[in-house]
Amino acid sequence: MESFKREIMLIGNEKFDRLQSSKVLIFGVGGVGGYVCEALARSGIGSFTLVDHDRVSESNINRQIIALHSTIGEYKVDVIKRRILDIYPKCDVEVKKMFYLPENKDEINFGEYDMIIDCIDTISAKLDIICEAHRLNIPHISSMGAGNRLDPLKIKVGDVFETSYDPLAKVMRRELRKRGIHQCKVVYSTEKALTPLFYDEQELKETNKRSIPGSSAFVPAAFGLVIASEAVKELLGCAL
């Protein structure tokens, strides 16, 4: 296949065929998740289910691969689906425009997938996704906080119980222990989170949040590319 010839030169036809037959479930297709989708589509993943309820906004443009002035107002899953199919037209892409929570988990059949990737920031949803993956023994990767950071060289892959400098990971460790889970692969940063210089009061009011993280163009993207690399390794069952 001409589109993937350069990749096949590195991994061979048998491993590439395995990627083509893989089905991946991705929660969140924004700053981190969009780049996960991009890299996995360019790696030849054959089937995606994308879960996200959000629409593209102008404030997404500095860091989200799907965010352009021409896509503002569109559902993010619709934009990334279009992009995936433009990269790999034979790919099967299902979108779910939903805000995932434990209460609506029955709308997704987790057991259908070969890989589960979590790129959302709602703690109750992250915990539930991880618990479902553990229950079904499906490989999964969870993104920790990419906001308020500037250095992509501080990104690491490891177990959530080995992380540092990440307030989200700290909460996840505590809550996972309560649920009897003592291992979870995550991508995280060892850079101490910065404090934003200011907040947009109108955005805080509209989102009903006490704070909104600042972001760079490169840290969320690097998070997404690292997650995609780890997902390919898991699907192939070996190091690249």
Side-chain angles (χ1 to χ4, degrees):
M1 186 180 293
E2 186 67 22
S3 299
F4 300 102
K5 181 172 67 177
R6 302 297 178 91
E7 179 184 14
I8 295 170
M9 288 167 62
L10 294 176
I11 69 173
N13 284 299
E14 183 179 344
K15 289 181 179 178
F16 181 71
D17 289 346
R18 202 179 308 169
L19 296 179
Q20 284 193 299
S21 65
S22 295
K23 190 170 185 179
V24 178
L25 173 62
I26 302 175
F27 293 88
V29 298
V32 175
Y35 281 92
V36 174
C37 295
E38 177 84 6
L40 291 182
R42 294 185 186 275
S43 298
I45 296 298
S47 180
F48 291 83
T49 296
L50 312 175
V51 184
D52 198 312
H53 78 296
D54 206 4
R55 295 176 185 263
V56 177
S57 67
E58 188 171 357
S59 65
N60 299 149
I61 287 176
N62 81 308
R63 69 194 182 283
Q64 298 191 15
I65 197 165
I66 56 173
L68 306 166
H69 285 282
S70 61
T71 62
I72 290 173
E74 292 190 59
Y75 281 103
K76 292 180 180 180
V77 288
D78 288 341
V79 180
I80 197 65
K81 176 179 180 178
R82 190 163 67 237
R83 188 174 178 91
I84 289 171
L85 293 176
D86 205 8
I87 293 167
Y88 187 14
K90 293 183 179 180
C91 188
D92 178 42
V93 185
E94 179 185 6
V95 301
K96 291 184 177 290
K97 299 181 177 86
M98 61 182 287
F99 187 88
Y100 181 85
L101 288 169
E103 292 80 4
N104 58 20
K105 71 167 66 178
D106 291 342
E107 295 181 34
I108 297 174
N109 183 0
F110 283 79
E112 294 181 357
Y113 300 96
D114 302 298
M115 184 78 214
I116 298 171
I117 299 172
D118 146 44
C119 301
I120 59 178
D121 55 13
T122 303
I123 292 175
S124 61
K126 292 180 83 70
L127 290 167
D128 193 72
I129 291 164
I130 293 167
C131 288
E132 286 298 300
H134 270 265
R135 182 178 67 83
L136 296 166
N137 196 31
I138 297 173
H140 67 283
I141 304 173
S142 186
S143 175
M144 296 294 100
N148 290 334
R149 292 171 173 85
L150 292 171
D151 188 353
L153 298 181
K154 297 290 181 64
I155 294 172
K156 305 289 184 183
V157 179
D159 193 289
V160 70
F161 294 98
E162 300 168 355
T163 57
S164 58
Y165 298 111
D166 190 319
L168 173 58
K170 181 179 180 180
V171 175
M172 295 295 290
R173 290 194 298 270
R174 183 184 69 234
E175 294 301 321
L176 287 171
R177 285 192 188 99
K178 290 179 182 178
R179 291 159 174 79
I181 295 175
H182 302 286
Q183 186 176 8
C184 177
K185 179 181 278 191
V186 297
V187 173
Y188 66 102
S189 174
T190 59
E191 179 184 6
K192 188 174 181 180
L194 304 172
T195 301
L197 300 176
F198 66 91
Y199 293 108
D200 184 327
E201 295 299 329
Q202 182 62 31
E203 188 176 5
L204 289 175
K205 184 177 180 181
E206 291 173 355
T207 59
N208 197 30
K209 293 181 178 180
R210 289 185 296 177
S211 65
I212 295 171
S215 62
S216 66
F218 25 88
V219 173
F223 260 72
L225 295 175
V226 170
I227 290 171
S229 171
E230 289 299 311
V232 168
K233 292 177 187 176
E234 289 279 1
L235 289 167
L236 295 180
C238 62
L240 294 176

